[in-house]
Amino acid sequence: MDDELNALRRTRMRWNTPLSEAHAELLLDRMALEAGQHLVDLGCGWGELLLRALARTPGLRATGVDTDLTGLDRGRAAARERGVAVDFAESDAATWAVPAERAFCIGAAHIFGSTEAALEGLTRVVPSGRLLYGDGFWAAPPNAAAEEIFGPDTLTLPDLLDVARAAGWRVLHFSTADQLEWDDFESTSRAGWQEWVAAHPADPRAAEVRDWLDGRLGQYVRDYRGVLGFTYLVLGR
Ligand SMILES: C[S@@+](CC[C@H](N)C(=O)[O-])C[C@H]1O[C@@H](n2cnc3c(N)ncnc32)[C@H](O)[C@@H]1O
């Protein structure tokens, strides 16, 4: 797909993770954010959760790190619109070495190579403080197609919690995305392109976009709905 279409695909997503507004508020409560702290979001996308954190905690210093310019530009525009200061940095989060009191790393463990590497590497970003960590896990045994999509490193929830503890984190809070959060995530991840094909049925790219949309929905309902879970951990050290 070309840049124009790629920029459109996620426009209907609030954030790029299965998460309701109420669940997000609960997680931000558990992060015990305070003015004067530095909060860094590694693999921030367009940083909507970072912007929400800043809105409820004036005086927080906020940095979002990502390599995707489309996301970073969306975040910068939202920060300007809301009149808040966020440093959106185009940088490889795997080598980010500025210590902070608070961090988010949501759906971005792959940046570090694996869950184990992410939870280990993030101890250097948060030497003392709290980390909101979001990651996928097997909620049910995967079929071969799901294993192929999500890779051999996906853990069960008990194993993921063991890995967090082994890396030196205390689990202060854990919750998982429910079915409605998942279904809404999947639907909104397709909505930008759904709207585009409806408006441009004769465009030469429409058939490819329709195939992609149908394929993604098919994979979800056939291979990983109810099989891939997603957990949010507030980890402390
Ligand atoms: C599933 S998205 C999660 C985005 C965000 N945390 C959220 O919850 O909306 C994963 C993000 O990781 C970013 N990413 C991938 N490789 C990266 C890297 N090496 N350094 C920084 N960000 C990276 C992608 O661009 C994408 O925005």
Side-chain angles (χ1 to χ4, degrees):
M1 303 295 174
D2 56 34
D3 289 350
E4 183 203 352
L5 281 173
N6 280 331
L8 264 180
R9 185 163 90 76
R10 298 193 173 87
T11 47
R12 293 296 177 203
M13 303 180 86
R14 188 189 300 120
W15 29 58
N16 194 357
T17 189
L19 182 65
S20 66
E21 299 265 0
H23 196 170
E25 284 301 313
L26 172 71
L27 297 174
L28 292 177
D29 279 347
R30 300 293 153 87
M31 283 295 280
L33 300 167
E34 286 175 16
Q37 292 169 342
H38 185 195
L39 168 64
V40 62
D41 186 351
L42 297 175
C44 65
W46 51 93
E48 180 60 31
L49 196 60
L50 192 60
L51 290 163
R52 303 280 180 108
L54 198 53
R56 57 186 269 155
T57 319
L60 205 59
R61 212 174 110 225
T63 304
V65 180
D66 208 288
T67 46
D68 176 48
L69 281 181
T70 303
L72 291 169
D73 284 347
R74 176 172 166 183
R76 288 175 185 134
R80 266 196 308 277
E81 242 170 60
R82 298 176 206 183
V84 292
V86 177
D87 177 21
F88 280 103
E90 184 194 359
S91 183
D92 180 4
T95 56
W96 190 260
V98 184
E101 292 86 12
R102 297 289 184 270
F104 297 160
C105 180
I106 299 174
H110 57 91
I111 295 172
F112 296 84
S114 67
T115 296
E116 284 91 340
L119 286 165
E120 177 64 38
L122 287 160
T123 61
R124 290 185 281 282
V125 179
V126 185
S128 172
R130 290 189 187 199
L131 164 70
L132 172 56
Y133 181 78
D135 204 352
F137 67 92
W138 294 132
N143 65 14
E147 229 164 8
E148 170 84 23
I149 300 168
F150 298 104
D153 292 331
T154 306
L155 303 174
T156 62
L157 190 51
D159 286 347
L160 202 160
L161 294 174
D162 283 348
V163 166
R165 280 189 291 259
W169 297 100
R170 296 295 308 155
V171 180
L172 305 177
H173 166 89
F174 101 95
S175 47
T176 60
D178 66 19
Q179 200 59 71
L180 179 58
E181 288 174 299
W182 262 109
D183 291 346
D184 187 50
F185 169 64
E186 288 291 331
S187 296
T188 54
S189 79
R190 286 180 292 106
W193 279 1
Q194 294 282 22
E195 289 169 13
W196 181 85
V197 282
H200 303 86
D203 190 284
R205 298 165 292 178
E208 193 186 348
V209 172
R210 250 185 245 109
D211 284 351
W212 186 92
L213 289 166
D214 294 348
R216 169 79 180 242
L217 179 58
Q219 269 182 334
Y220 177 51
V221 296
R222 199 173 30 246
D223 298 325
Y224 64 91
R225 186 175 187 270
V227 172
L228 187 74
F230 199 89
T231 188
Y232 296 96
L233 309 177
V234 175
L235 301 171
R237 44 186 284 107

